[in-house]
Amino acid sequence: MSAVFSREFMAYFRTPLGYVIVAAMFFFTGYYFFTFNIIGNTTNTSGMFSMLFSVVLFLVPVLTMRLLSEERRVKTDQTLLTSPVSRLGIVLSKYLAALCVYAVAVSGTLVMAMVLQVYAQPDWPVVLGNFTGLILLGMALIAICLFISSLTESQVIAAIGGFGASLLLVAMDALHVVAANRLLRTVLRHMSFNSRYSGFTVGVISLADVVFFASIAVCFVLLTVLVLERRRWS
């Protein structure tokens, strides 16, 4: 498992993809930090983290698009599937590699908080709550996009599928308002990533929200394992 993880993690930085993802995230983090904190003359980082929600939704599909689709395209998936590593080990290795790159990318938020520390006293519980929310959001989105990547051999289709899933997650807030059925409105409201994430932006770490994001991650990791198992026997 460690060999697969190392291979996947290093693959991000043998190509421009890993650098592009990290650079893009740092760019948007710096831009929102400058806009909300420097120009706004405040130590409250909630505005920066709120805006990063949308950025993460559209960067994660690019981060994950090659993880399993590329294996199918170059016909190395059969070699991987017949290796001593279990299907769960393969999926977890790829998932954790993407999650580590993502963690590096969002670490820029902590750098900005340290910059604030030089000149003023940021609200560290809020900063850490926001960072926890970003990590949990990434955990869930990476699992969803990894599952989509396992369904196709085209990186482009995997990326488009990930973007579609992200758009659906963004649309949930609007859908639950216009839904005619009361039960459907309730389900959509509770499934809304934005409403689940918003509590973290004010430093509130709710156990229900943590369990929600963790459950989504576990669910889609297991679905990806099932896809690999089915491919093995097909």
Side-chain angles (χ1 to χ4, degrees):
M1 182 173 166
S2 59
V4 178
F5 169 81
S6 298
R7 188 193 74 168
E8 292 299 327
F9 182 78
M10 295 307 299
Y12 277 109
F13 298 102
R14 293 194 189 101
T15 64
L17 180 61
Y19 298 101
V20 168
I21 294 294
V22 173
M25 196 67 194
F26 269 64
F27 169 79
F28 285 109
T29 301
Y31 173 76
Y32 292 130
F33 175 74
F34 180 78
T35 302
F36 287 100
N37 297 100
I38 302 300
I39 295 180
N41 193 28
T42 178
T43 59
N44 186 354
T45 56
S46 295
M48 175 182 71
F49 280 99
S50 294
M51 296 304 295
L52 287 177
F53 175 82
S54 298
V55 176
V56 169
L57 286 178
F58 290 96
L59 281 183
V60 167
V62 179
L63 176 68
T64 59
M65 64 183 183
R66 55 161 291 277
L67 284 175
L68 286 167
S69 58
E70 180 69 5
E71 298 280 4
R72 291 184 66 179
R73 188 184 70 82
V74 299
K75 309 301 182 185
T76 57
D77 56 330
Q78 292 304 316
T79 303
L80 191 62
L81 291 174
T82 55
S83 67
V85 184
S86 67
R87 308 296 170 271
L88 180 60
I90 292 170
V91 173
L92 282 179
S93 297
K94 289 176 173 289
Y95 174 76
L96 291 174
L99 185 59
C100 285
V101 175
Y102 172 82
V104 172
V106 300
S107 65
T109 57
L110 297 180
V111 174
M112 300 306 161
M114 292 176 192
V115 171
L116 281 180
Q117 181 69 51
V118 176
Y119 301 99
Q121 180 62 44
D123 191 344
W124 280 105
V126 173
V127 172
L128 295 177
N130 277 295
F131 186 74
T132 301
L134 268 185
I135 293 295
L136 288 168
L137 175 65
M139 287 173 57
L141 286 173
I142 290 170
I144 292 171
C145 293
L146 178 63
F147 170 70
I148 294 171
S149 179
S150 72
L151 300 176
T152 178
E153 64 180 28
S154 169
Q155 293 188 46
V156 175
I157 294 176
I160 292 173
F163 290 137
S166 294
L167 286 173
L168 179 61
L169 294 174
V170 170
M172 276 190 180
D173 287 320
L175 290 174
H176 98 264
V177 173
V178 300
N181 185 277
R182 183 177 179 180
L183 176 61
L184 180 59
R185 285 200 304 270
T186 303
V187 170
L188 288 174
R189 185 174 68 252
H190 286 293
M191 291 296 292
S192 170
F193 273 41
N194 190 29
S195 63
R196 294 284 185 177
Y197 177 75
S198 60
F200 292 102
T201 63
V202 291
V204 177
I205 301 178
S206 166
L207 179 60
D209 295 336
V210 172
V211 171
F212 172 79
F213 285 117
S215 299
I216 294 291
V218 170
C219 177
F220 278 92
V221 164
L222 293 178
L223 285 174
T224 306
V225 173
L226 290 177
V227 170
L228 293 189
E229 285 288 355
R230 182 179 179 183
R231 190 181 307 160
R232 178 192 179 192
W233 297 109
S234 62

